[in-house]
């Protein structure tokens, strides 16, 4: 049994370091109910912030485009809700935070969905 605050670090090709926080759940690769519950508040917060940031007047969107973008965001979060891999969940959260940082500044992410 490892320490409850243990972290797993994996180095690949000496350039990429991946850190997974293993302190809550028992799943190492696949998410347990505990893991999913731990991320729930963070994901809901990202979802709400992303939808709110699409209402920004600094984004060059008309009403129909704004509604279409919100529908795409809902669809992406809905598809992501079926994910059970810890690594993929972490990647999806990182991507949402990255996109949100651009939207909060009134810009679209570099590779936004058109």
């Amino acid at each position: 049994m490892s320490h409850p605050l243990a972290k797993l670090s994996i180095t690949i090709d000496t350039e990429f370091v991946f850190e997974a926080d293993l302190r809550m759940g028992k799943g190492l690769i696949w998410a347990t109910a505990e893991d999913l519950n731990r991320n729930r508040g963070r994901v809901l917060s990202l979802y709400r912030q992303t939808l709110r940031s699409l209402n920004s007047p600094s984004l060059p969107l008309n009403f129909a485009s704004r509604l279409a973008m919100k529908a795409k965001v809902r669809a992406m979060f809905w598809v992501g809700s079926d994910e059970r891999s810890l690594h993929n969940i972490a990647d999806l959260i990182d991507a949402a935070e990255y996109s949100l940082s651009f939207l909060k500044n009134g810009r679209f992410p570099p590779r936004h969905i058109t």
Side-chain angles (χ1 to χ4, degrees):
M1 179 125 183
S2 65
H3 189 273
L5 298 178
K7 285 197 178 226
L8 170 68
S9 292
I10 300 170
T11 305
I12 301 171
D13 294 335
T14 66
E15 294 178 16
F16 177 74
V17 176
F18 176 78
E19 273 195 10
D21 191 357
L22 302 175
R23 65 187 150 145
M24 287 294 287
K26 296 179 182 176
L28 294 177
I29 296 175
W30 302 109
T32 62
E34 233 176 280
D35 297 325
L36 296 175
N37 192 36
R38 181 185 62 193
N39 290 322
R40 181 186 165 123
R42 187 174 177 193
V43 171
L44 285 175
S45 175
L46 283 169
Y47 175 70
R48 290 180 186 132
Q49 288 178 48
T50 304
L51 289 179
R52 259 188 254 128
S53 63
L54 287 174
N55 285 331
S56 171
S58 60
L59 289 175
L61 295 171
N62 61 25
F63 183 70
S65 300
R66 201 172 302 275
L67 290 178
M69 289 293 271
K70 286 182 179 184
K72 289 177 187 176
V73 168
R74 285 186 191 99
M76 285 186 279
F77 275 85
W78 181 70
V79 170
S81 70
D82 289 337
E83 188 57 57
R84 295 295 178 250
S85 165
L86 289 175
H87 306 295
N88 290 348
I89 291 170
D91 288 345
L92 289 171
I93 290 173
D94 288 344
E97 288 173 343
Y98 176 76
S99 297
L100 185 60
S101 68
F102 279 93
L103 291 172
K104 283 184 175 181
N105 292 327
R107 298 179 300 163
F108 290 114
R111 303 187 90 184
H112 71 277
I113 297 175
T114 57

